Amino acid sequence: MSHLATLDTSLHNRLPESAMTMFEAKAAKKLTFEAIAKELGRAEVAVAAMFYGQARASEEDIDKLSKLLEVDHAKLTQELAGFPDRGRTIDMPPKEPLIYRLFEIVQNYVGYS
């Protein structure tokens, strides 16, 4: 049995506008990422990445999402246009020690080797 993923409200200010639009429509239709992925012909992870603004949606994806979620095509096209904005969902600098060290290495040492 699949569980219905909802949007964590603490992330609202860190995600693109399209995330709220799509998550609200997804919840209203009671769809899972798995069901949406089947309709789009994409991997479940790829669909979730589109919802969180981490992956780019193709014109075909936008057409199918608009019909499936019953969201205005023009609105969805406008919100999903452009490049994904990755990395905004975590605090910077990271608080978890291992991730912080990786962040520090990339920030300070990449380009010096």
Side-chain angles (χ1 to χ4, degrees):
M1 179 176 177
S2 298
H3 296 285
L4 190 61
T6 56
L7 184 59
D8 180 351
T9 56
S10 68
L11 296 176
H12 280 196
N13 64 337
R14 297 181 187 179
L15 293 174
E17 189 178 345
S18 61
M20 276 56 88
T21 300
M22 293 194 301
F23 270 101
E24 286 172 6
K26 178 180 172 291
K29 304 278 280 173
K30 295 185 173 33
L31 293 169
T32 62
F33 283 131
E34 180 182 14
I36 296 168
K38 284 180 185 174
E39 289 292 323
L40 268 59
R42 303 269 297 216
E44 186 176 349
V45 172
V47 171
M50 281 189 271
F51 270 69
Y52 284 100
Q54 303 293 306
R56 191 170 187 172
S58 70
E59 186 59 40
E60 184 180 346
D61 293 331
I62 295 170
D63 290 341
K64 290 179 180 179
L65 280 169
S66 175
K67 290 174 187 162
L68 179 65
L69 299 175
E70 297 178 2
V71 174
D72 180 62
H73 188 273
K75 177 180 178 161
L76 207 52
T77 299
Q78 180 185 5
E79 289 180 358
L80 292 175
F83 295 99
D85 188 9
R86 297 181 181 111
R88 290 180 39 182
T89 57
I90 61 171
D91 292 326
M92 288 304 221
K95 308 277 186 285
E96 201 278 319
L98 179 65
I99 303 300
Y100 177 82
R101 290 295 173 221
L102 178 61
F103 175 77
E104 181 181 46
I105 289 166
V106 170
Q107 183 179 27
N108 296 314
Y109 300 108
V110 170
Y112 291 107
S113 53

